[in-house]
């Protein structure tokens, strides 16, 4: 849902719907996405709409124009499973070929610390400590300060397929100290 209350809904047929409340406001048929599923949708800080697909990479709708990014542009794979915008406004794309990061003004970042992640990545999540967690077919990968690190989370879920991650705060004592629990 955006700031105006509109919800973008993508379909397996490649059609994009804009809804408000229970009523369909607008339907967009984007010829470049016809017949290909929409798998992820997000808006960046500038209001541009990012659309991930099941095989044609990612599209950005910026000032009414559509631009497509695929593997030759730096995307890890053309099957995008999620789009995540981190606290630095970098845009992360989880794909069936790893993870890719797009930075405004620089494009896709090459040689990022996560470049070693080549398995299927289903989801990207940023915790309160600004660590990025990747839900992959081979467990959870953690990126801290731009580098892949080993930590408790990585060890606990080694080679267990993980599809998504959610941080849930739990209060430990009466002094309101909190620790994160991940679901």
């Amino acid at each position: 849902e955006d700031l105006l209350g509109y919800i973008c809904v993508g379909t397996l047929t490649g059609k994009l719907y804009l809804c408000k409340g229970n009523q369909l406001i607008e339907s967009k048929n984007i010829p470049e996405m016809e017949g290909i599923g929409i798998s992820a949708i997000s808006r960046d800080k500038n209001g541009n709409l990012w659309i991930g697909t099941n095989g044609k990479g990612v599209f950005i709708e910026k000032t009414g124009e559509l631009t497509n990014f695929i593997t030759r542009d730096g995307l890890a794979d053309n099957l995008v499973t999620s789009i995540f915008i981190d606290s630095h406004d970098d845009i992360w794309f989880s794909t069936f070929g790893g993870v890719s990061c797009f930075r405004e003004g620089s494009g896709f970042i090459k040689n990022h610390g996560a470049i070693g992640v080549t398995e299927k990545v289903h989801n990207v999540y940023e915790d309160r400590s600004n660590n990025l967690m990747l839900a992959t077919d081979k467990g959870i990968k953690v990126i801290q300060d731009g580098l892949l690190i080993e930590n408790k989370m990585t060890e606990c879920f080694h080679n267990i397929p993980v599809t998504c991650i959610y941080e849930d705060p739990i209060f430990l004592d009466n002094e309101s100290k909190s620790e994160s629990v991940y679901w």
Side-chain angles (χ1 to χ4, degrees):
E1 185 173 355
D2 66 15
L3 296 174
L4 299 174
Y6 291 100
I7 297 174
C8 290
V9 177
T11 68
L12 287 175
T13 62
K15 230 177 183 180
L16 187 66
Y17 292 90
L18 189 59
C19 305
K20 190 166 186 175
N22 292 331
Q23 295 191 356
L24 183 66
I25 301 295
E26 179 183 340
S27 162
K28 289 186 178 188
N29 188 14
I30 303 169
E32 294 89 347
M33 285 189 261
E34 193 169 310
I36 202 80
I38 295 174
S39 54
I41 304 170
S42 189
R43 282 203 189 271
D44 64 21
K45 68 178 182 181
N46 298 317
N48 302 316
L49 187 66
W50 291 86
I51 305 166
T53 70
N54 289 335
K56 286 192 176 180
V58 67
F59 290 84
I60 178 175
E61 185 181 44
K62 186 176 185 177
T63 61
E65 292 189 30
L66 202 63
T67 304
N68 182 218
F69 295 108
I70 57 174
T71 53
R72 74 167 179 257
D73 302 307
L75 194 61
D77 189 73
N78 290 328
L79 199 156
V80 177
T81 55
S82 75
I83 301 171
F84 180 80
I85 301 173
D86 71 16
S87 59
H88 302 289
D89 294 321
D90 289 338
I91 304 170
W92 293 84
F93 303 96
S94 56
T95 76
F96 270 22
V99 66
S100 299
C101 182
F102 186 90
R103 182 170 290 153
E104 188 176 335
S106 301
F108 284 95
I109 300 170
K110 305 279 188 209
N111 300 322
H112 190 276
I115 206 75
V117 178
T118 57
E119 61 265 13
K120 291 179 183 177
V121 179
H122 300 281
N123 194 277
V124 178
Y125 180 80
E126 183 176 28
D127 69 11
R128 289 185 281 166
S129 299
N130 300 109
N131 298 314
L132 288 173
M133 297 185 182
L134 310 178
T136 79
D137 272 1
K138 294 183 179 178
I140 294 174
K141 308 295 182 193
V142 179
I143 302 171
Q144 185 178 56
D145 298 324
L147 300 172
L148 276 172
I149 64 160
E150 295 291 324
N151 70 4
K152 255 197 282 187
M153 188 73 74
T154 308
E155 294 166 12
C156 291
F157 290 95
H158 183 68
N159 283 330
I160 296 173
V162 177
T163 56
C164 60
I165 303 168
Y166 170 73
E167 185 177 24
D168 192 10
I170 294 194
F171 294 101
L172 297 177
D173 59 23
N174 295 335
E175 295 177 7
S176 296
K177 291 181 184 176
S178 65
E179 179 177 305
S180 295
V181 172
Y182 297 91
W183 299 96

